[in-house]
Amino acid sequence: MTQMLVIVPDRCTGCMQCELACGWVQSGQFQPSQSLIRVNIFDEEASYAPYTCLQCDEAWCMTACPVNAIGVDASGQAKVVEERLCIGCHLCTIACPFGTVFTLPQNDKAAKCNLCGGQPACVVSCPTDAIQYLDAQECGQWFRDWGRRVHERYLEEIGAPA
Amino acid sequence: MYGWTGKLLRVDLATGQSRVEEIPEDWRRDYIGGRGLADRYLYEELDPRVDPLAPENKLIFATGPLTGTCAPCGARYMVVTKGALTGAITTSNSGGHWGPELKFAGYDLLILENAAPRPSYLFIYDDHVELRDAGHLWGKGVFETEDMLREELGIPGLRVAGIGPAGENRVRFACIVNDKHRAAGRSGVGAVMGSKNLKAVAVRGTRGVRVADPEAFMRAVWAMRAAMEDHPGRKSFAELGTAATIDMTNTFGGLPTRNFQQGQFEHAENLNGNAIRDTRLVANKACFACTIACGRVCRLGEHSGKYLVNTHPRNWKIAGEGPEYEGAWALGADTGVGDLDAVLKANWLCNDLGMDPISMGATLAAAMELYQKGAITDEMLEQGIPLAFDNPEAIIRYTEATAYREGIGDELAEGAKRLGEKFGHPEVFMGSKGQEFPAYDPRGFQGMGVAYATCNRGACHLRAWTPAVESTGQMDPHTPKGKPEWVVHEQHRTTAHDATGLCLFVGAAGGPLETFVPITAAATGVPYTLEDFVKIGERTWNLERLFNLRAGFTRADDSLPKRLLEEPHKTGPSAGVVVHLDEMLPVYYQCRGWDEEGRPTPEKLAELGLASLA
C-alpha cells in the first residue's frame, strides 16, 4: 500500500506544531528554522498552508543530483538524501519545482522530508488533522474536490462569468 | 542550558549599544521566567518613583522557559515596565509568534534602556543587534509598519512587535502589537515604547530551545494535550471564541453596560460568540504552538459599506482578528453600541493604531456619561457626531481621534480617570489604580471586586477570574464570603502561570497549572512541584506589591469607584447588590500576611526570601 501526506489548508490554524515537531526530528531541539515542513501564512486571506515535499514519482531533485545522493528509501515511498554522499552543490534545490528541498546552514548539505521513515512527526503533532498520512488511493478524490473549490473561488474573485 | 536560553539582551537605545548578559541561576529558579523574572529585574534596576514616560523607565520583554516549545500554547511573552496609564508596575502579556522568535534568537529577556534620539527600530537576527532609523515608519499604522519592515529586511520568518500612532502620541493606554493582531494591551506599555522613540522590534531567530529530559517532557506534553483535546472549555474557545463569555456575564447581570449604569445589555446577542461565528467568522487563527485556536479572523457584514477597512485591495472586507470578548464588551455594551460592524471597525482601528480596546471603550463610555451629564458639550465635539451612548459613529470617529489626539481625542487619550477629573466628574471613572475595568461587573460577580481592587497593575480580570467559581454554582456570586481567600489563591497560580510562557487560557481549556508543572520541570531540569509554583507566584506578587508601595501606592489605592459600592442595579439578576469591599479587603490582607495598611509583614517577606529587598 502506498501512503502519502495529505495537507488540508482549510483546517490549518497556523500554530506551527508541525514545524516544531519536524525541527525536533531534525535537530533534537525545538527549532522551527530547521523544519523541513513550512507553514506559509497568507494573512490577508486568513489562510495558512503547511507545505513540504510531495515525494514526486518523477523526482527532479533526484534526476538533477550529479552524485546520486538522493535515492528512494526501502519503503519505496520517500525520496531521501544520503548525507554522506551529498557534495552541497545545491542543484536539487534549484531543480525542485516546489521549493521543498533545503540546504542546511550548518553543513551546507541538502535536506528534505523523508516521511520520518513512514511515521511523519508533523502528522502526529497537528492538532486539527490538517496534515494526514493516508492511503494514496483515498487521496485522489480529495485533491480533485479541493482543486475545484480553489478554482471556483478564484473565478468568483476575478468576477468571471459563472 | 535547558528550557531557558540563560541569556538576556540589553540595549541602550540612546547609543544603540547592546550587550548579552547571563541570567543568574537562582533568579531563574526562584522566578521561572516571563513575568516573574522580568519583575525581579525591574525591581532591581528601576527607581519606582520615576515618571513612566521618562527615558529612565525601562521596558522589558520576557519569555518563559516553555515559550517556543511544543507545550500547548507556549507562545507568550510579557512586557514589564512602569505603566503609563497607572504609574504602577505593569505586566502585559501577548501571544502570536514574536515571543518564541525572540527565544529562538537566543534570549529569554530583552531589556530596553533610555530613549533613542530619533525614531528608530530595533533589528535582532540571532547575534546581530542593530538600532536602525525608523523615520519612514513613524506615523504608520501597525499593519503597514510590519509589511514595510518585512519588505525592507527581506528575511523570511521575520516577526515584528511595534506601536502605532497611538504609542507615538503617548496615548496612555497605547499597546504594543505583534504579528499585526496580538497585543500586549494594557496599562500603556505602547506609550512607554513611544516615549523611547522606538517604533518596532523586528526579530528573526534560527536557534533552538532544548529541554532537559525530552522523554519526560514529551510524555507530560501529550498528557496535557490529551486532557485538553475533548475538554468543553477548549471546544468552546475553538468554536465560539472568547466572545462566548458575553452570554454568561449577561445572564448573571454582570455585563457592565453604558459605563456600568446597567448590568445587562439588551443587544448582547448581536455581539456574542454565536453572532460572530455565524455572520462574520472567516477562519480560526492560532498563536504559536496553540492547540485551541480561539483567534477569530472576521470580515465585515454585507451591508456595512460605511465601515470599510483597507487592509488589502482584494480583501477589504476582512477586518482582521477580533473582536475578543473584552473588545466586544468595551466598544459595544459599555458604550451601548449593538452594531457588530461598528464594533469590528473600532476594534480594527484599535489594532492598527495600537490601542487597548478595553481602555479605549471604557474611556469612550466615561466620556459618553460626561456628555449625558452635560459636562462635555457639542461645541467640544466634531460636528454631527455626538459623543452619546448607543452612537456607532462616535466609537469609530473618536477612537481615531484619540490615537492622533485630535480635538476631544486629546482628552480621551489620557484615559477615563484623568478625563473625569478634567471635566469635574471623577465619579465617571470606572476602574482601579487608574486603569479602566474590564468586562465583569463586580455587582454580578462579587469576587471581581476584591480582584480588581488588589491587582498590582490596576483593574484586571486575568489575575483572579472569579466567575470560574461564581458562575458555576461553586460559590454564591453575590456574597463576599470566601472570595478574598479564593482570589489570593488564584493570584498566586496565575502569576506562576504567566512566568512559564504558556497562555492563561489553557487553564480553562483542560490544562490547569497542575498539568504543566511537570512540563516545566522536564524542560528546565529544575524539579519544580505545585507548591514551588504557588510559592513563586506569591513571591512575585509580593515583589510587585513592594514596587508599588515604593512608587507611592497605599491602601487607599486598593479601591473601587463609589458606583460599585453604593449604587446597586435596579433590575436583573444582580439587582440590589453592591460590592462589600470593606469586608473583603481586611480578610484579603490578613490572608496574604500583610498588615492592615496592606504592607507585607517582615515575617512574610522573610518566608518568601524577599527580606533583603524591602
Side-chain angles (χ1 to χ4, degrees):
Chain A
M1 187 179 70
T2 308
Q3 283 182 291
M4 60 187 280
L5 277 185
V6 172
I7 293 171
V8 190
D10 302 9
R11 289 189 191 148
C12 177
T13 60
C15 77
M16 307 287 168
Q17 281 282 356
C18 55
E19 288 197 13
L20 280 164
C22 186
W24 176 269
V25 171
Q26 309 310 322
S27 69
Q29 304 181 42
F30 293 110
Q31 193 172 15
S33 67
Q34 294 283 310
S35 173
L36 302 175
I37 187 167
R38 301 279 163 96
V39 180
N40 294 296
I41 295 177
F42 304 95
D43 255 338
E44 304 298 349
E45 315 270 345
S47 176
Y48 324 100
Y51 201 59
T52 189
C53 175
L54 301 177
Q55 313 294 350
C56 308
D57 273 349
E58 199 176 305
W60 291 6
C61 58
M62 206 158 84
T63 313
C65 181
V67 294
N68 287 332
I70 302 181
V72 182
D73 79 349
S75 71
Q77 287 168 30
K79 314 293 180 292
V80 297
V81 178
E82 185 63 58
E83 194 187 300
R84 194 170 46 87
L85 300 177
C86 176
I87 54 171
C89 72
H90 296 212
L91 268 179
C92 53
T93 66
I94 300 164
C96 174
F98 306 107
T100 56
V101 186
F102 305 94
T103 43
L104 299 175
Q106 63 267 32
N107 59 9
D108 207 32
K109 298 213 174 186
K112 66 178 288 301
C113 169
N114 61 8
L115 295 174
C116 296
Q119 286 181 310
C122 53
V123 173
V124 179
S125 68
C126 179
T128 58
D129 289 334
I131 314 173
Q132 297 167 305
Y133 193 52
L134 297 177
D135 181 355
Q137 301 299 322
E138 292 171 28
C139 305
Q141 185 58 40
W142 169 83
F143 191 75
R144 270 194 296 278
D145 291 348
W146 183 78
R148 190 176 300 124
R149 259 187 313 121
V150 170
H151 186 63
E152 278 166 7
R153 189 173 135 196
Y154 174 71
L155 290 180
E156 192 187 303
E157 272 187 14
I158 62 170
Chain B
M1 186 66 60
Y2 300 106
W4 297 289
T5 68
K7 295 194 170 64
L8 72 85
L9 178 65
R10 189 185 294 275
V11 181
D12 180 350
L13 297 171
T15 63
Q17 297 294 311
S18 65
R19 68 170 189 272
V20 178
E21 294 170 23
E22 299 284 333
I23 300 170
E25 192 189 339
D26 53 333
W27 282 20
R28 276 190 269 122
R29 188 194 59 220
D30 293 348
Y31 295 92
I32 304 177
R35 179 173 167 195
L37 202 49
D39 279 352
R40 184 67 189 84
Y41 271 96
L42 198 74
Y43 192 83
E44 184 76 14
E45 298 182 2
L46 187 70
D47 176 358
R49 286 158 302 182
V50 74
D51 174 3
L53 296 177
E56 292 76 34
N57 195 3
K58 296 196 183 193
L59 190 62
I60 305 181
F61 295 78
T63 66
L66 300 185
T67 309
T69 71
C70 76
C73 312
R76 312 301 290 193
Y77 74 94
M78 193 62 96
V79 180
V80 177
T81 184
K82 183 169 169 168
L85 184 65
T86 55
I89 191 169
T90 188
T91 48
S92 211
N93 193 284
S94 180
H97 297 257
W98 189 91
E101 206 65 34
L102 181 69
K103 190 96 175 271
F104 296 141
Y107 313 106
D108 289 326
L109 267 71
L110 169 64
I111 301 183
L112 303 176
E113 299 178 340
N114 298 322
R118 67 190 75 81
S120 307
Y121 74 90
L122 186 64
F123 172 45
I124 303 172
Y125 190 169
D126 292 343
D127 292 329
H128 180 92
V129 180
E130 187 185 356
L131 196 63
R132 299 171 66 131
D133 181 68
H136 58 304
L137 301 171
W138 210 249
K140 304 279 188 212
V142 166
F143 302 153
E144 200 178 353
T145 301
E146 177 163 338
D147 288 340
M148 286 173 74
L149 280 174
R150 281 177 179 280
E151 191 160 324
E152 177 176 328
L153 295 166
I155 297 165
L158 186 81
R159 302 292 180 183
V160 178
I163 56 171
E168 295 169 13
N169 296 328
R170 299 173 202 191
V171 173
R172 288 210 179 251
F173 44 86
C175 51
I176 296 174
V177 189
N178 59 283
D179 304 289
K180 292 188 180 174
H181 304 286
R182 293 279 134 198
R186 301 224 72 191
S187 317
V189 293
V192 175
M193 192 154 158
S195 76
K196 298 191 171 307
N197 262 330
L198 188 66
K199 180 69 178 171
V201 183
V203 186
R204 170 64 180 156
T206 64
R207 297 190 176 101
V209 177
R210 303 202 296 168
V211 294
D213 185 343
E215 205 186 315
F217 181 85
M218 286 300 193
R219 206 180 297 123
V221 163
W222 280 98
M224 183 172 174
R225 277 188 62 168
M228 289 171 66
E229 176 93 39
D230 292 318
H231 191 276
R234 193 200 72 83
K235 287 186 163 168
S236 169
F237 273 135
E239 194 183 328
L240 298 170
T242 53
T245 315
I246 285 188
D247 298 326
M248 184 274 283
T249 46
N250 205 37
T251 310
F252 278 83
L255 183 67
T257 301
R258 296 186 182 84
N259 204 31
F260 288 72
Q261 297 184 48
Q262 293 112 34
Q264 283 183 311
F265 185 42
E266 65 276 19
H267 299 305
E269 77 279 4
N270 292 1
L271 306 172
N272 68 9
N274 294 72
I276 291 172
R277 180 196 59 188
D278 296 342
T279 63
R280 304 294 190 277
L281 183 67
V282 180
N284 282 26
K285 188 174 174 187
C287 295
F288 186 90
C290 173
T291 61
I292 302 173
C294 69
R296 328 262 83 191
V297 181
C298 287
R299 64 179 141 70
L300 295 170
E302 296 300 322
H303 305 290
S304 54
K306 60 184 171 177
Y307 300 137
L308 295 189
V309 291
N310 291 307
T311 47
H312 193 282
R314 270 172 58 207
N315 289 285
W316 50 265
K317 282 180 183 164
I318 287 188
E321 283 183 52
E324 300 294 333
Y325 167 59
E326 292 291 339
W329 159 76
L331 298 162
D334 204 26
T335 60
V337 174
D339 179 339
L340 183 54
D341 280 329
V343 172
L344 263 164
K345 171 76 186 262
N347 187 71
W348 180 84
L349 283 170
C350 282
N351 281 351
D352 190 36
L353 301 172
M355 286 185 292
D356 170 18
I358 301 180
S359 287
M360 183 70 251
T363 303
L364 284 168
M368 286 167 169
E369 192 174 334
L370 290 172
Y371 182 82
Q372 198 178 38
K373 288 177 186 298
I376 290 179
T377 56
D378 284 321
E379 292 77 62
M380 304 173 190
L381 301 172
E382 291 180 31
Q383 211 180 355
I385 312 180
L387 192 47
F389 284 119
D390 307 3
N391 181 5
E393 298 284 340
I395 63 168
I396 292 171
R397 179 55 204 133
Y398 294 114
T399 293
E400 215 166 5
T402 301
Y404 294 103
R405 285 184 176 267
E406 295 164 348
I408 191 80
D410 196 28
E411 307 298 341
L412 296 172
E414 292 294 304
K417 181 164 189 275
R418 292 173 176 87
L419 179 80
E421 285 163 1
K422 167 107 183 184
F423 288 95
H425 288 280
E427 76 279 7
V428 301
F429 166 60
M430 290 295 124
S432 185
K433 294 190 179 68
Q435 177 157 287
E436 296 78 7
F437 289 135
Y440 303 89
D441 191 323
R443 286 164 293 185
F445 304 100
Q446 187 76 214
M448 287 314 289
V450 69
Y452 286 158
T454 59
C455 180
N456 288 326
R457 70 157 172 174
C460 175
H461 58 294
L462 296 167
R463 306 302 185 236
W465 190 70
T466 62
V469 285
E470 294 182 315
S471 72
T472 51
Q474 295 172 58
M475 284 188 180
D476 181 341
H478 297 153
T479 81
K481 197 170 161 292
K483 302 297 164 60
E485 295 87 342
W486 194 87
V487 165
V488 168
H489 170 72
E490 197 61 16
Q491 283 173 343
H492 295 165
R493 290 171 59 97
T494 54
T495 305
H497 194 142
D498 280 341
T500 62
L502 292 198
C503 177
L504 264 186
F505 286 180
V506 296
L513 199 58
E514 289 77 2
T515 56
F516 58 89
V517 170
I519 299 180
T520 315
T524 58
V526 179
Y528 287 119
T529 62
L530 183 62
E531 291 69 40
D532 294 337
F533 263 50
V534 173
K535 185 63 81 185
I536 286 165
E538 186 174 11
R539 181 180 298 128
T540 306
W541 192 273
N542 277 272
L543 191 67
E544 290 176 352
R545 180 75 179 184
L546 289 179
F547 183 99
N548 284 349
L549 291 173
R550 283 172 58 202
F553 286 82
T554 63
R555 180 195 164 113
D557 296 295
D558 294 340
S559 61
L560 296 173
K562 224 168 80 176
R563 179 165 298 164
L564 301 186
L565 305 175
E566 295 173 11
E567 300 169 24
H569 293 306
K570 292 181 182 64
T571 56
S574 55
V577 181
V578 292
V579 184
H580 301 286
L581 187 65
D582 54 338
E583 279 178 46
M584 292 190 283
L585 203 55
V587 181
Y588 175 92
Y589 287 164
Q590 199 181 11
C591 191
R592 279 213 161 282
W594 293 355
D595 65 18
E596 61 276 16
E597 289 303 309
R599 292 172 302 217
T601 57
E603 299 78 55
K604 179 49 86 179
L605 293 175
E607 180 198 323
L608 297 169
L610 296 173
S612 59
L613 296 177

